[in-house]
């Protein structure tokens, strides 16, 4: 890819060569016998005020990538440069490597980067009331007191479509979709600049999903927010994203402008994914491309291109050489040996 | 329809939560029929009572919730294998929730895949619960290997040895698309991705070959190709063991693909019911129409705002008079909708709706 971004560019986050391996331990002595390569050399960037969609097979490392970037997991390798004014004495913008930031710096930076978690129920403390859950980040970072905090909370609850009187209830008293919105309200409490949204709307009904997506878009317009938007619903991802990255077994295999990616996919995995999108039409006959073979195993990925055993276009070279992630057309990146010659079907 | 087709009949079901501020009517007079070997889809607003209906069918409404009215009839077939088939009618709401019979039914005859596969917050799960029950009661236990949990569940409902159960478990994990199932069978839940955990729960539910599967948002954590694979697997099992499916989801694409008949719910009641084709092509209730309009369509790029239904779900303690949907309805008729409670009207051979637009008042 290109040269490292400077604080003058409109790049908010620049992730390069990100890796996160989980050790596989066996036996009484918990010897490490191998690694789950959950994230294996991921490179992408997010511009200020844009939404980057992140899609891919379940288990391909999307959540792990998000958690590693915000340092809930310690990275195995890589860098994640984030543009911020918080760490320079004169408040001028700087590119700071999140993966090397120390504890104190991280605490400051967490005001600007928030995450909406995939499993709302595991990320909400069952013993805390909704108002405590949402207030916690405000209190930690000394934003406001008593009535002020309460006002912020009421405002946030309304924005995510919950009622002010829900404040005093506990997470288990809500339905799945309502809990997801509590997590969204909490993530937005500090007015972050980058929000990593891990399946933020998957538990919502379509009307509240529409409200929430509209809310995220409004916030983006008002505050120039950036999102990394992880989701399996490809129509939602297309709707919200400026660009979309497709992941397969720990690697990004394709990244492009949303429309371009959906209409002219260059990677066979993207093509297969697009063909499987369910359509809200009971008379629609699916022309799904059935991928052969087993889902790849991140602790023992195949040689060459990780997708080759399931790829209907695979040739000799695919099992031998790792394809390079390259910019085939302007702003359209792909890692496939045959990308130039294949004519793939979009949605 | 001959009654021989009916597997579960829910009649005028009411589920209530008695909380500090008053009573929440989570399910408020719901009736529906699940037929053998068929798929019934349930859609509707978040919080409208879909999951509580599903739990009521298994007699496991969490406290302080209670089934306060109606009945749930389970037409249980016994016999076969040379003996004559007899149908026992069991009223599930009348069973002791900890009794032997409901335990056999749960997980064994009626399998379930619940929303949110790994939760520490289950009101029904106590330390004394057996592993297999906890798992059939929808949860993975964080500190136990997934394979052990699967094996115990299979053994509780099928007469197989431990070794056989382990083989079934591995085979099932393979079918739901878990890579290297012979290794992953020894993983702990936190070592799996969100979608992998969800697939383990699907494997648990399907491994007992139930007569009915209640699938509550079963594929939300899955990518579309694995989702399609799982939907195929469900349909395959539906054919081989004549399994009925009650499919709850917010994903209108998935429901269009799976369901033959669809129930639309709002605030604890059904507001419309029709065949899938009719519901998508000729929706009649203003709520259903609004739902269908608020989804983004793949391939059609617009950075426009999505349509969404105005206003919020009403406060359960101060329900609006008349039709509960009227404050948000685009076809609101003043003097009617805010006064008269609409009834459940049949408007076609297989189409019902609860809306004053279709009543002469
Ligand atoms: N703590 C852990 N220890 C070991 N392996 C892990 C751990 N967390 C995740 N993994 C493995 O890493 C891989 C990536 O998991 P991750 O949760 O990032 O996937 P994902 O892309 O978010 O999937 P999903 O769409 O299902 O949420 C999976 O194979 C998973 O089993
Ligand atoms: N423990 C509880 N205490 C009080 N109210 C509760 C409790 N559990 C659920 N409810 C209420 O019961 C109603 C129905 O909940 P249910 O889980 O059935 O909704 P749902 O239709 O499945 O929603 P979703 O689509 O969001 O999963 C909700 O309004 C919820 O607030
Ligand atoms: Mg994930
Ligand atoms: Mg639910």
């Amino acid at each position: 890819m290109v040269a490292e971004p400077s604080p003058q560019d409109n790049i908010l986050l620049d992730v390069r060569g990100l890796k996160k391996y989980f050790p596989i331990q066996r036996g009484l002595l918990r010897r490490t016998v191998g690694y789950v390569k959950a994230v294996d050399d991921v490179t992408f960037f997010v511009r200020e005020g844009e939404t980057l969609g992140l899609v891919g097979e379940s288990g391909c490392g999307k959540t792990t990538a998000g958690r590693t970037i915000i340092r809930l997991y310690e990275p195995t390798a890589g860098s994640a440069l984030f543009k911020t004014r918080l760490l320079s004495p004169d408040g001028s913008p700087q590119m700071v490597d999140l993966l090397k930031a120390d504890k104190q710096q991280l605490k400051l930076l967490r005001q600007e980067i928030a995450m909406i978690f995939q499993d709302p129920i595991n990320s909400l403390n069952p013993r805390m009331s909704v108002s405590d859950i949402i207030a916690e980040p405000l209190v930690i970072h000394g934003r406001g007191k008593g009535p002020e905090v309460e006002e912020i909370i009421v405002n946030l609850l309304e924005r995510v479509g919950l009622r002010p009187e829900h404040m005093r209830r506990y997470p288990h008293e809500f339905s799945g979709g309502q809990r997801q919105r509590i997590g969204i309200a909490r993530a937005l409490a500090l007015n972050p600049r980058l929000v990593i949204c891990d399946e933020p709307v998957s538990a919502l009904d379509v009307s509240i999903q529409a409200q929430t997506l509209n809310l995220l878009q409004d916030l983006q317009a008002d505050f120039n927010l950036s999102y990394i938007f992880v989701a399996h619903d490809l129509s939602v991802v297309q709707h919200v994203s400026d660009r979309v990255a497709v992941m397969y077994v720990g690697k990004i295999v394709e990244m492009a402008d949303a429309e371009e990616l959906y209409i002219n996919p260059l990677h066979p995995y993207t093509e297969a994914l697009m063909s499987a999108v369910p359509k809200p039409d009971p008379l629609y006959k699916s022309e799904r491309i059935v991928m052969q073979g087993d889902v790849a195993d991140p602790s023992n990925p195949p040689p060459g291109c990780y997708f080759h055993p399931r790829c209907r276009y695979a040739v000799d070279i695919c099992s031998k050489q790792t394809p390079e992630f390259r910019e085939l057309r302007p702003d359209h990146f792909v890692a496939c040996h045959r990308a130039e010659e294949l004519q793939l079907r979009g949605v | 329809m001959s009654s021989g087709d009916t597997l579960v009949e829910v009649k005028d079901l009411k589920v209530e939560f008695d909380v500090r501020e008053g009573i929440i009517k989570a399910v408020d007079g719901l009736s529906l029929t699940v037929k053998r070997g068929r798929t019934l889809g349930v859609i509707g607003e978040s919080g409208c009572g879909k999951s509580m209906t599903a739990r009521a069918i298994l007699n496991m409404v969490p406290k302080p919730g209670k089934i306060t009215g109606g009945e749930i009839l389970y037409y249980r077939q016994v016999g076969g294998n040379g003996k004559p088939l007899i149908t026992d009618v069991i009223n599930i709401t009348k069973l002791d929730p900890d009794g032997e019979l409901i335990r056999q039914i749960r997980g064994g005859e009626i399998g379930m895949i619940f929303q949110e596969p790994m939760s520490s917050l289950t009101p029904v799960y106590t330390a004394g619960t057996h592993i297999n029950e906890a798992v059939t009661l929808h949860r993975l236990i964080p500190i136990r290997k997934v394979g052990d949990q699967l094996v115990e569940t299979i053994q509780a409902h099928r007469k197989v040895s431990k070794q056989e159960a382990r083989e079934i478990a591995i085979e099932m994990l393979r079918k739901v698309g878990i890579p290297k199932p012979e290794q992953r069978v020894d993983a702990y839940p936190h070592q799996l991705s969100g979608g992998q955990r969800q697939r383990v729960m699907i494997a648990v539910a399907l491994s007992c070959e139930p007569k009915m599967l209640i699938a509550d948002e079963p594929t939300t954590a899955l990518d579309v190709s694995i989702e399609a694979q799982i939907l195929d697997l469900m349909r395959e099992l539906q054919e081989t063991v004549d399994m009925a499916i009650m499919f709850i989801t917010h994903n209108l694409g998935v429901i269009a693909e799976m369901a033959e008949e669809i129930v639309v719910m709002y605030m604890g009641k059904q507001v419309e019911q029709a065949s899938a084709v009719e519901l998508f092509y000729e929706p009649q209730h203003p709520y259903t129409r609004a739902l269908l309009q608020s989804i983004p369509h793949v391939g059609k790029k617009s950075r426009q705002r999505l349509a969404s239904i105005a206003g919020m779900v009403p406060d359960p303690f101060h329900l609006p008079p008349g039709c509960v949907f009227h404050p948000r309805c685009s076809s609101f008729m003043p003097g009617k909708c805010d006064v008269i409670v609409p009834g459940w009207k049949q408007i076609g051979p297989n189409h019902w709706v609860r809306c004053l637009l279709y009543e002469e008042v």
Side-chain angles (χ1 to χ4, degrees):
Chain A
M1 283 181 94
V2 282
E4 291 214 341
S6 85
Q8 278 70 48
D9 296 336
N10 68 344
I11 304 284
L12 180 66
L13 177 73
D14 182 79
V15 176
R16 288 179 193 222
L18 182 71
K19 293 186 184 176
K20 175 63 194 173
Y21 294 176
F22 292 105
I24 305 171
Q25 290 163 332
R26 284 279 148 71
L28 281 177
L29 298 174
R30 318 223 21 88
R31 264 187 323 122
T32 298
V33 295
Y35 291 93
V36 177
K37 299 178 177 174
V39 176
D40 194 13
D41 204 353
V42 157
T43 296
F44 66 87
F45 60 87
V46 185
R47 297 191 178 105
E48 287 181 313
E50 87 163 345
T51 302
L52 177 72
L54 184 56
V55 302
E57 186 144 60
S58 160
C60 70
K62 303 176 298 293
T63 299
T64 306
R67 286 178 160 255
T68 311
I69 291 166
I70 60 166
R71 293 282 294 277
L72 290 176
Y73 291 148
E74 278 312 303
T76 304
S79 67
L81 300 181
F82 179 71
K83 180 158 136 185
T84 179
R85 294 170 182 274
L86 291 181
L87 299 187
S88 54
D90 58 350
S92 61
Q94 249 183 322
M95 298 303 292
V96 175
D97 190 349
L98 298 173
L99 305 190
K100 300 206 172 64
D102 63 32
K103 259 206 166 117
Q104 218 175 349
Q105 292 172 324
L106 271 181
K107 188 184 164 195
L108 282 171
L109 291 167
R110 289 230 165 94
Q111 300 180 68
E112 296 198 320
I113 309 174
M115 183 150 179
I116 299 171
F117 291 94
Q118 181 171 16
D119 259 337
I121 193 150
N122 285 321
S123 52
L124 302 177
N125 184 336
R127 274 170 283 279
M128 282 164 76
S129 69
V130 168
S131 74
D132 293 341
I133 288 171
I134 301 174
E136 192 179 47
L138 295 162
V139 172
I140 289 177
H141 294 284
R143 303 262 189 102
K145 290 209 177 54
E148 261 174 289
V149 170
E150 181 146 333
E151 201 177 307
I152 300 177
I153 295 171
V154 169
N155 189 308
L156 282 165
L157 286 176
E158 281 175 353
R159 291 200 92 157
V160 297
L162 292 171
R163 315 184 69 87
E165 58 271 23
H166 283 147
M167 244 166 59
R168 271 167 286 281
R169 290 218 228 150
Y170 289 82
H172 73 270
E173 297 175 59
F174 291 89
S175 76
Q178 290 165 330
R179 276 194 288 255
Q180 201 164 30
R181 283 178 276 161
I182 302 170
I184 295 176
R186 180 183 154 104
L188 298 176
L190 292 172
N191 296 322
R193 289 172 53 228
L194 173 67
V195 186
I196 301 176
C197 311
D198 196 356
E199 294 284 359
V201 294
S202 61
L204 304 181
D205 67 83
V206 291
S207 165
I208 293 166
Q209 166 179 297
Q211 263 172 33
T212 309
L213 296 177
N214 288 342
L215 166 71
L216 292 177
Q217 275 182 351
D218 290 348
L219 291 170
Q220 182 161 55
D222 294 350
F223 304 107
N224 206 27
L225 268 184
S226 303
Y227 299 113
I228 296 176
F229 194 98
V230 179
H232 287 305
D233 186 328
L234 295 176
S235 38
V236 168
V237 170
Q238 187 192 20
H239 181 81
V240 299
S241 304
D242 299 288
R243 289 183 305 125
V244 176
V246 182
M247 244 178 119
Y248 186 79
V249 196
K251 289 186 193 302
I252 289 187
V253 295
E254 184 165 4
M255 180 166 81
D257 172 80
E259 219 165 335
E260 160 84 4
L261 185 101
Y262 279 63
I263 295 169
N264 298 312
L266 292 175
H267 197 286
Y269 176 66
T270 313
E271 181 192 41
L273 209 54
M274 294 298 161
S275 78
V277 177
K279 300 257 175 15
D281 175 0
L283 299 179
Y284 168 75
K285 287 272 164 293
S286 159
E287 288 169 34
R288 175 163 70 100
I289 299 167
V290 179
M291 286 180 273
Q292 0 161 352
D294 269 351
V295 176
D297 172 20
S299 65
N300 184 19
C305 169
Y306 287 181
F307 187 58
H308 88 260
R310 309 180 70 196
C311 182
R312 52 183 188 158
Y313 307 107
V315 291
D316 217 24
I317 183 176
C318 303
S319 58
K320 301 206 168 82
Q321 258 179 49
T322 305
E324 192 197 340
F325 189 58
R326 60 196 193 282
E327 191 168 1
L328 197 75
R329 300 185 193 148
D331 228 12
H332 195 153
F333 298 81
V334 66
C336 169
H337 289 300
R338 302 191 61 197
E340 280 84 354
E341 40 163 331
L342 292 176
Q343 291 291 327
L344 303 182
R345 171 156 64 95
V347 288
Chain B
M1 179 193 71
S2 81
S3 68
D5 291 343
T6 303
L7 182 65
V8 169
E9 201 175 356
V10 175
K11 285 186 181 168
D12 202 24
L13 178 70
K14 295 196 166 91
V15 177
E16 296 183 346
F17 284 86
D18 195 346
V19 294
R20 286 176 303 270
E21 306 96 309
I23 288 177
I24 297 176
K25 295 181 175 173
V27 182
D28 190 17
L30 185 86
S31 302
L32 51 83
T33 302
V34 179
K35 295 175 206 159
R36 287 178 205 281
R38 312 270 289 176
T39 303
L40 178 72
V42 181
I43 58 178
E45 188 95 14
S46 171
C48 70
K50 303 179 297 294
S51 298
M52 289 308 147
T53 304
R55 283 161 180 269
I57 293 177
L58 297 155
N59 199 340
M60 42 183 279
V61 172
K63 290 194 173 72
K66 256 206 220 84
I67 298 177
T68 54
E71 51 187 18
I72 296 171
L73 304 178
Y74 169 41
Y75 294 82
R76 188 191 207 202
Q77 276 182 347
V78 285
N81 275 342
K83 284 180 230 142
L85 263 186
I86 319 166
T87 308
D88 269 348
V89 185
I90 299 172
N91 183 351
I92 289 181
T93 58
K94 292 281 181 304
L95 297 181
D96 169 8
D98 300 316
E100 193 50 44
L101 187 53
I102 191 71
R103 289 180 163 186
Q104 275 175 30
I105 295 172
R106 270 183 210 144
E109 296 166 41
I110 305 183
M112 60 218 124
I113 304 165
F114 270 88
Q115 241 174 330
E116 300 175 281
M118 194 171 71
S119 150
S120 45
L121 281 174
T122 15
V124 277
Y125 167 60
T126 57
T129 320
H130 293 294
I131 298 285
N132 74 64
E133 282 180 87
V135 176
T136 38
L137 293 182
H138 59 115
R139 299 295 177 210
L140 287 175
I141 296 171
I143 52 166
R144 296 277 316 260
K145 291 177 180 170
V146 295
D148 295 348
Q149 303 190 42
L150 256 163
V151 165
E152 284 185 42
T153 309
I154 293 168
Q155 280 198 291
H157 295 288
R158 285 171 73 170
K159 291 182 191 65
V160 291
S161 71
K162 195 161 181 182
Q163 191 50 40
E164 283 166 319
R166 192 176 157 91
E167 276 154 28
I168 296 172
I170 292 174
E171 192 43 40
M172 238 21 241
L173 290 177
R174 187 186 321 278
K175 281 192 176 164
V176 295
I178 303 268
K180 286 274 147 61
E182 58 287 348
Q183 280 173 22
R184 289 297 164 101
V185 73
D186 290 320
Y188 292 93
H190 76 270
Q191 295 172 323
L192 301 175
S193 79
Q196 288 166 343
R197 285 198 289 266
Q198 201 172 29
R199 279 177 276 161
V200 170
M201 294 314 291
I202 295 171
V204 169
L206 296 182
S207 62
C208 298
E209 301 188 338
K211 284 281 150 220
M212 172 174 171
L213 176 71
I214 301 177
D216 191 357
E217 298 284 5
T219 57
T220 38
L222 306 179
D223 65 85
V224 289
S225 59
I226 291 181
E227 175 176 82
Q229 185 185 331
I230 300 257
L231 298 181
D232 283 348
L233 181 65
M234 285 182 188
R235 277 184 290 225
E236 206 182 290
L237 213 61
Q238 178 160 48
E239 286 197 359
T240 51
V241 302
D242 202 27
M243 175 176 80
I245 305 177
M246 178 169 159
F247 204 105
I248 302 172
T249 181
H250 291 305
N251 189 321
L252 298 181
V254 170
I255 210 87
E257 196 178 316
M258 287 300 283
E260 295 155 289
E261 180 108 357
I262 297 177
V263 169
V264 185
M265 284 179 73
Y266 186 78
M267 292 300 284
K269 287 191 168 67
Q270 70 244 82
V271 294
E272 185 161 2
Q273 178 168 346
S275 71
V277 176
E278 218 168 298
L279 196 96
F280 274 90
Y281 282 89
E282 286 166 60
Q284 299 298 323
H285 197 286
Y287 175 66
T288 313
R289 289 188 185 153
L291 271 190
L292 293 174
Q293 277 160 10
S294 46
I295 42 176
H297 288 266
V298 72
K300 282 186 206 140
K301 177 72 176 175
S302 72
R303 295 239 74 191
Q304 282 164 10
R305 296 172 66 80
L306 291 167
S308 70
I309 303 171
M312 264 192 248
V313 184
D315 175 357
F317 307 114
H318 302 97
L319 291 178
C323 168
V324 283
F325 186 59
H326 88 256
R328 311 178 67 191
C329 183
S330 57
S331 311
F332 169 53
M333 301 177 284
K336 267 182 164 181
C337 302
D338 48 355
V339 181
I340 306 162
V341 177
W344 186 232
K345 279 273 167 307
Q346 182 157 17
I347 55 165
N350 190 16
H351 201 153
W352 288 263
V353 64
R354 187 188 305 279
C355 175
L356 293 173
L357 289 173
Y358 308 94
E359 281 186 55
E360 284 156 35
V361 283

